[in-house]
Amino acid sequence: MTNNYYMPTKVIMGDDCVVKNCELFKVLGRKALIVTGTQSAKRNGSEKDVKTALESVGIQYQVFDKVMSNPTISCAYEGASLAKENGVDFIIAIGGGSPMDAGKAIALLAAQDIEEESLFLGNYQNKVLPMAFVPTTAGTGSEVTQYSILTNDKAQTKTSIASDLLFPTVTFLDAKYTVHLGVTTTINTAIDALSHAVEGMLSVKASIVSDALAAASIQMIIDCTPKMLLALQAGSEAAFDLEQREQLLQASFMAGMVIAQTGTTVVHAMGYSLTYFKGIDHGRANGLLLGEYLKLVEKAQPDLAAKILKTMSFAKAEQLLELLGKLLGQREEINAEEIKFYSKKAIQTKNIANCIVKPTEDDLRTMFVQSFAK
Ligand code: NAP
Ligand code: FE
């Protein structure tokens, strides 16, 4: 057996942990670039808390609040230019996976000159700005991974920069910032985390440690699904209390630690086309495909599927499909041409080699057809 475990990010959890631990910022540098989205960090109190913490320890800051969902390469270069022009020496990313992933790319690009052509090629110098992360969605786990996923128009997909340099230095998990996250984003992001945990267990790099984290994460997310269905019915996020918000944030962080070890599988590879070409949210895209892939695994390796389904207290993949069906509702339209094109793209990715059950291109086409037939 060969398995490694590496996750060097310090994780601080709990109520008001950003302000209570303000001294930690002093270790990171003297001037920060706060990288965030356009609105949510200002509304949920996270940006204010970070500024309060920085001011209390005399650290200067500059704000870059232009990160869009599925951040582009040019957004990362723009943030890095701002970082360099202002002489910042560390990055604070606040928000969902998009600002966190942009923050990682900015931390790398501000520390070394990398041409756009070689951005995804690896071989970086051993230089990056220190990073502090404050996740405000509970889904991507980016706060504890070494991946920065950017929209890559040249390749017409989302491509990840993967490097141990990109593990944040410190992460603050405070669920109060997620309390007003809308029902759809709560569900889509939770499904992203679920997909990370399940895909981790389906990866050739799975280990006893990643499986233990994944199983706990899956259980915690499935445990919150009755409340998700209630929230959908009521059309209001008020159905979630702080305890469930904390549970989802922890489950997402644990699923992030899983993919930091295992990477993702065919589900993410297929989902990227749904996001890039059809604008489907990242978590939703995975959710549309996850049940069908587990059905394929159930046929090829019933014991492996059963091990995962047990963590959900399910006996059959069909039960997961049913639950995801209720959570995801009405499907988008997809045509045969699109299915053929997306399947061809996904089968060429390295995610396929990462799957214990390796699908064929035909399998991918069938998965797309079945996923959108509901
Ligand atoms: P996101 O794109 O970061 O955010 C989605 C929306 O939620 C934005 O409109 C954002 O608003 C809003 N939002 C964020 N926090 C909120 C809060 N607390 N309350 C209300 N609204 C809030 O979505 P995400 O699903 O978290 O991240 C998706 C990205 O992460 C994708 O690019 C995906 O590829 C990537 N990803 C990365 C990893 C990794 O390991 N690095 C893993 C999985 C996915 P604002 O724009 O105003 O902030
Ligand atoms: Fe993901």
Side-chain angles (χ1 to χ4, degrees):
M1 187 188 83
T2 55
N3 260 315
N4 303 325
Y5 184 88
Y6 185 61
M7 205 299 282
T9 305
K10 184 187 197 87
V11 182
I12 313 278
M13 307 181 213
D15 300 341
D16 302 320
C17 60
V18 170
V19 173
K20 283 183 187 158
N21 293 278
C22 55
E23 292 289 324
L24 280 177
F25 290 106
K26 286 206 295 200
V27 183
L28 303 182
R30 283 176 304 184
K31 186 168 184 188
L33 182 71
I34 298 176
V35 176
T36 188
T38 52
Q39 291 171 10
S40 68
K42 292 180 184 30
R43 292 189 184 150
N44 62 35
S46 50
E47 190 175 317
K48 183 167 168 278
D49 280 357
V50 165
K51 288 178 174 172
T52 303
L54 294 177
E55 284 160 15
S56 70
V57 290
I59 294 177
Q60 291 184 306
Y61 55 82
Q62 178 81 30
V63 178
F64 178 62
D65 56 3
K66 290 190 185 171
V67 182
M68 67 295 279
S69 281
N70 304 300
T72 56
I73 294 173
S74 54
C75 168
Y77 275 96
E78 186 185 339
S81 299
L82 190 71
K84 286 196 258 190
E85 281 160 23
N86 287 277
V88 313
D89 55 6
F90 74 106
I91 302 293
I92 303 175
I94 311 172
S98 298
M100 290 194 283
D101 283 4
K104 290 175 183 175
I106 292 169
L108 185 72
L109 292 168
Q112 53 185 289
D113 293 324
I114 305 171
E115 297 292 325
E116 201 177 313
E117 293 69 42
S118 20
L119 183 58
F120 300 109
L121 300 181
N123 300 324
Y124 311 114
Q125 294 169 56
N126 192 23
K127 286 197 287 193
V128 68
L129 298 190
M131 289 172 259
F133 277 26
V134 184
T136 67
T137 62
T140 71
S142 179
E143 67 275 14
V144 287
T145 73
Q146 69 279 47
Y147 314 120
S148 163
I149 300 163
L150 301 175
T151 297
N152 181 353
D153 287 320
K154 283 200 186 108
Q156 291 195 309
T157 187
K158 301 191 67 182
T159 308
S160 74
I161 310 176
S163 164
D164 284 353
L165 291 169
L166 297 190
F167 279 111
T169 323
V170 57
T171 278
F172 298 95
L173 300 182
D174 188 341
K176 76 176 175 192
Y177 304 132
T178 68
V179 164
H180 297 296
L181 194 60
V183 179
T184 309
T185 314
T186 302
I187 292 175
N188 288 347
T189 47
I191 291 176
D192 188 25
L194 178 71
S195 199
H196 295 160
V198 172
E199 289 179 68
M201 292 182 82
L202 294 171
S203 158
V204 293
K205 298 194 203 104
S207 70
I208 195 160
V209 179
S210 65
D211 274 359
L213 287 165
S217 171
I218 295 169
Q219 254 171 13
M220 287 159 77
I221 296 166
I222 293 291
D223 188 51
C224 290
T225 55
K227 278 284 159 74
M228 292 181 203
L229 294 171
L230 275 180
L232 267 180
Q233 253 175 11
S236 163
E237 70 270 15
F240 301 102
D241 57 26
L242 187 61
E243 204 178 308
Q244 277 125 25
R245 293 294 189 184
E246 271 172 357
Q247 191 165 323
L248 288 172
L249 191 61
Q250 299 222 353
S252 159
F253 140 66
M254 286 155 72
M257 287 201 285
V258 172
I259 56 166
Q261 315 308 318
T262 64
T264 55
T265 67
V266 63
V267 175
H268 267 67
M270 293 167 79
Y272 288 148
S273 279
L274 296 179
T275 300
Y276 186 84
F277 292 105
K278 298 187 80 71
I280 298 177
D281 263 10
H282 174 70
R284 178 177 172 84
N286 296 328
L288 290 168
L289 300 157
L290 182 67
E292 289 301 330
Y293 183 49
L294 202 59
K295 241 170 87 177
L296 190 83
V297 174
E298 194 173 46
K299 263 196 221 142
Q301 290 211 23
D303 290 352
L304 177 59
K307 179 170 131 184
I308 295 167
L309 288 164
K310 198 172 152 204
T311 66
M312 306 175 185
S313 303
F314 289 159
K316 288 261 158 238
E318 201 55 49
Q319 290 170 277
L320 174 65
L321 272 163
E322 213 174 285
L323 173 63
L324 289 170
K326 286 186 198 153
L327 291 170
L328 296 168
Q330 183 75 36
R331 305 292 153 104
E332 293 76 1
E333 301 275 316
I334 189 168
N335 64 40
E337 203 57 23
E338 289 169 327
I339 288 180
K340 202 171 149 197
F341 182 50
Y342 303 164
S343 304
K344 198 165 264 327
K345 278 183 93 71
I347 202 73
Q348 290 164 5
T349 61
K350 14 182 226 280
N351 284 30
I352 302 295
N354 208 29
C355 299
I356 296 174
V357 174
K358 292 184 179 47
T360 63
E361 198 174 326
D362 256 358
D363 290 332
L364 302 196
R365 282 201 286 264
T366 308
M367 280 167 64
F368 272 126
V369 170
Q370 299 292 354
S371 298
F372 284 87
K374 310 283 169 199

